[in-house]
Amino acid sequence: MPTVDDILEHIGEFHLFQKQTFFLLALLSGAFTPIYVGIVFLGFTPNHRCWSPGVAELSQRCGWSLAEEMNYTVPGLGSADEASFLSQCMQYEVDWNQSTLGCVDPLSSLAANRSHLPLSPCQHGWVYDTPGSSIVTEFNLVCAHSWMLDLFQSVVNVGFFIGAVGIGYLADRFGRKFCLLVTILINATSGVLMAVSPNYAWMLVFRFLQGLVSKAGWLIGYILITEFVGLGYRRTVGICYQVAFTVGLLILAGVAYALPHWRWLQFAVTLPNFCFLLYFWCIPESPRWLISQNKNAKAMKIIKHIAKKNGKPMPVSFQSLRADEDAGEKLNPSFLDLVRTPQIRKHTLILMYNWFTSSVLYQGLIMHMGLAGGNIYLDFFYSALVEFPAAFLIILTIDRVGRRYPWAVSNMVAGAACLASVFIPDDLQWLKITIACMGRMGITMAYEMVCLVNAELYPTYIRNLGVLVCSSMCDIGGIITPFLVYRLTDIWLEFPLVVFAVVGLVAGGLVLLLPETKGKALPETIEDAENMQRPRKKEREENLPPRQESRSSAKLKRKSVVSAGPEAELFPHHKPTPPNHTYPWTSSAGSCSPPTQFIALMCQTLLPARVFHLTLLSAVPGKWPLLDWICFFTFTFLYLVSCSTMTSNQHTQRSCGSG
């Protein structure tokens, strides 16, 4: 039976239908920006000070200017960090209505030194130095209540995490189009309700609902466009779909500048989502998903619609697919399918770690960058511009080099940039900013690459589930990144950069264990996904002399039962795993070379050992809980990856041991 990629080669891989669909879904990608990073403007915290009715009355009676009022009545002005807290969150415990206070330095009559005057927290609210408004200024999320702003952003990430897993399963079970439309409706409705929320609690509820569906909808759109286009255009539309998100960053900066009041801004960025409900008539269901659900008649109807829209005739040999009644049992996605078989299990673990890494480094580098200038709109705009060269480099290298090596290098560049920043002196600020921009560009490339490759490593019926489950780790990274940045600085100011460097370099190394997907069709079944690293071996066998080929085939037949293992009972339609499958640590003949054999042995012995984190514990006494957990999870993850990869071919290990 021909695959969807075979049919698209004849009816158009990226013609009128695909271009229209991409444009519509790119709008959806850009509309996701205000939810993902809108906290920058919705939760903007301006300079503020305590408001006192007595100070306001005295200032009006004396005719003070703003500078004079602050100089006479605000504590802690002109000092450093502690003064910032005093001037914003504390006030003099003084009765400003007493008649003994004059208009020139009124506190001098009460104490020769103002530092001797008692202070108290703000009692009557705050005055904010901003012409607009934000949720901070409206609900007073400052000083003792500043944690509520962190909760506002954490709730979104919790929604991202739950929605990515739950809605990802529903999209693979009930279809891409249905779940996309449901997420659009809930996102638009909850966004409008958030804009009219009467208090902080209701605003938090509606923000959680937006997080629950918005990221899942964005990823479903990504899955849809990659399943509609042909093999030759899949990577381009995947990258451009993410570039649309960057364009959304630029537009958001302009809209926020024009609408400095958060409720109007929330209305402006939410109302266009209702227009996306028209996609019910514009975007069909994915034919790949329909085929995976044995709905071949519906899939063929959509394929014929694509051919008609593209002005291409359907080849006679592709006029019909296998009938529904002749199809096997319909495949329903399961979370166990992501870890059931060895290769997919390895892919899942590595992809989850890389999603986590991308989120931690992306947000962490922004926190350390410190862009010049105090204009929040320009800073946001400039930081978004850095992402365009990253997309250009991906498009430039991905067809010439492939996916795996640019992805690994981008992670390593980001990690190396973090490490280099540690050794750059503070007086070379321009060099620090340059290195930070290189790191931002590298991790942006890694972020776009992980989204592209993630969809290419899973079979159709669990592709959406695989992408959303793996990408949920980026939400975990988004939650803990502030902790890594602000808590680790208590140990050492540059310690977060060291952690980012290690995490990025490890991610780059793990990427090299994944198969190259350049020029390969999307896997349709679990068997296709398991065999993604085997075509090169098959080609070598076909080029062997007849006698050698027959020996190899006979050897494979003799060991097929052993190599299949317990998976043959779970997946009886699968081909057995070749015993001499080539792994990163094996030579071209299938046997282990001494250096790579040593590396594989290290992965199974030293990595999970407690020696590593015990050494760190003794190096930094008093800070052991944090280092203990970081080290434990890092090396446990590496241990699982190594075990997953090595146990997927026990015969290769035996050949290594026997020399």
Side-chain angles (χ1 to χ4, degrees), residues 385-400:
L385 288 177
V386 178
E387 300 189 7
F388 285 103
F392 174 75
L393 288 175
I394 292 177
I395 295 176
L396 190 65
T397 60
I398 201 170
D399 272 343
R400 295 170 174 82

Side-chain angles (χ1 to χ4, degrees), residues 47 94 310 402 560 605:
N47 292 327
V94 173
N310 290 340
S560 60
T605 56

Side-chain angles (χ1 to χ4, degrees), residues 197-497:
S197 298
N199 52 51
Y200 173 81
W202 279 111
M203 181 185 66
L204 210 62
V205 170
F206 296 131
R207 190 63 169 177
F208 170 76
L209 291 177
Q210 276 199 300
L212 194 67
V213 297
S214 57
K215 181 189 172 185
W218 185 87
L219 287 170
I220 291 173
Y222 181 89
I223 295 293
L224 267 175
I225 191 58
T226 56
E227 292 186 341
F228 275 130
V229 302
L231 177 63
Y233 294 89
R234 196 167 64 223
R235 57 90 183 174
T236 304
V237 299
I239 296 170
C240 292
Y241 184 80
Q242 297 173 76
V243 170
F245 177 86
T246 304
V247 175
L249 294 175
L250 303 179
I251 296 175
L252 176 62
V255 175
Y257 179 78
L259 300 172
H261 298 277
W262 79 270
R263 291 188 184 271
W264 288 110
L265 175 62
Q266 179 67 15
F267 270 122
V269 299
T270 300
L271 291 177
N273 285 275
F274 285 102
C275 299
F276 298 146
L277 294 175
L278 299 175
Y279 288 1
F280 177 82
W281 293 277
C282 303
I283 299 178
E285 182 57 86
S286 167
R288 296 180 191 270
W289 179 82
L290 291 171
I291 293 173
S292 73
Q293 301 298 304
N294 295 325
K295 299 179 181 180
N296 299 318
K298 294 182 179 179
M300 180 53 63
K301 182 178 179 181
I302 293 175
I303 290 173
K304 290 180 179 179
H305 168 73
I306 295 174
K308 182 179 179 181
K309 192 80 172 179
N310 290 340
K312 301 281 187 178
M314 277 284 292
V316 178
S317 57
F318 295 159
Q319 287 293 333
S320 62
L321 296 173
R322 185 178 57 181
D324 290 345
E325 57 270 14
D326 296 333
E329 183 181 357
K330 184 175 73 172
L331 297 176
N332 291 322
S334 168
F335 290 102
L336 290 178
D337 291 332
L338 301 178
V339 294
R340 196 190 307 272
T341 55
Q343 290 298 319
I344 294 181
R345 179 168 61 249
K346 181 184 72 172
H347 299 168
T348 300
L349 291 173
I350 295 177
L351 288 169
M352 289 175 71
Y353 182 81
N354 270 271
W355 275 104
F356 173 84
T357 300
S358 297
S359 177
V360 169
L361 266 71
Y362 185 85
Q363 299 185 42
L365 287 177
I366 292 177
M367 294 178 185
H368 278 86
M369 189 171 184
L371 293 174
N375 190 314
I376 184 176
Y377 306 103
L378 287 179
D379 289 348
F380 190 86
F381 186 86
Y382 293 149
S383 64
L385 288 177
V386 178
E387 300 189 7
F388 285 103
F392 174 75
L393 288 175
I394 292 177
I395 295 176
L396 190 65
T397 60
I398 201 170
D399 272 343
R400 295 170 174 82
V401 182
R403 273 75 156 153
R404 187 170 55 173
Y405 291 114
W407 185 12
V409 170
S410 62
N411 272 310
M412 293 179 180
V413 167
C418 291
L419 192 60
S421 298
V422 175
F423 302 100
I424 299 176
D426 293 335
D427 55 347
L428 296 177
Q429 191 65 22
W430 64 271
L431 184 57
K432 274 203 167 188
I433 294 177
T434 302
I435 296 297
C437 287
M438 290 180 60
R440 172 74 180 273
M441 195 180 306
I443 200 58
T444 300
M445 286 184 62
Y447 227 146
E448 295 182 0
M449 290 293 294
V450 68
C451 196
L452 172 67
V453 178
N454 202 152
E456 297 178 336
L457 290 176
Y458 286 107
T460 299
Y461 86 100
I462 60 169
R463 183 171 299 126
N464 206 73
L465 179 65
V467 171
L468 294 178
V469 168
C470 292
S471 67
S472 66
M473 289 304 297
C474 97
D475 306 321
I476 302 297
I479 292 173
I480 73 169
T481 297
F483 171 78
L484 289 175
V485 173
Y486 299 116
R487 299 301 178 184
L488 291 183
T489 51
D490 294 338
I491 303 174
W492 178 32
L493 185 61
E494 306 294 344
F495 198 7
L497 292 178

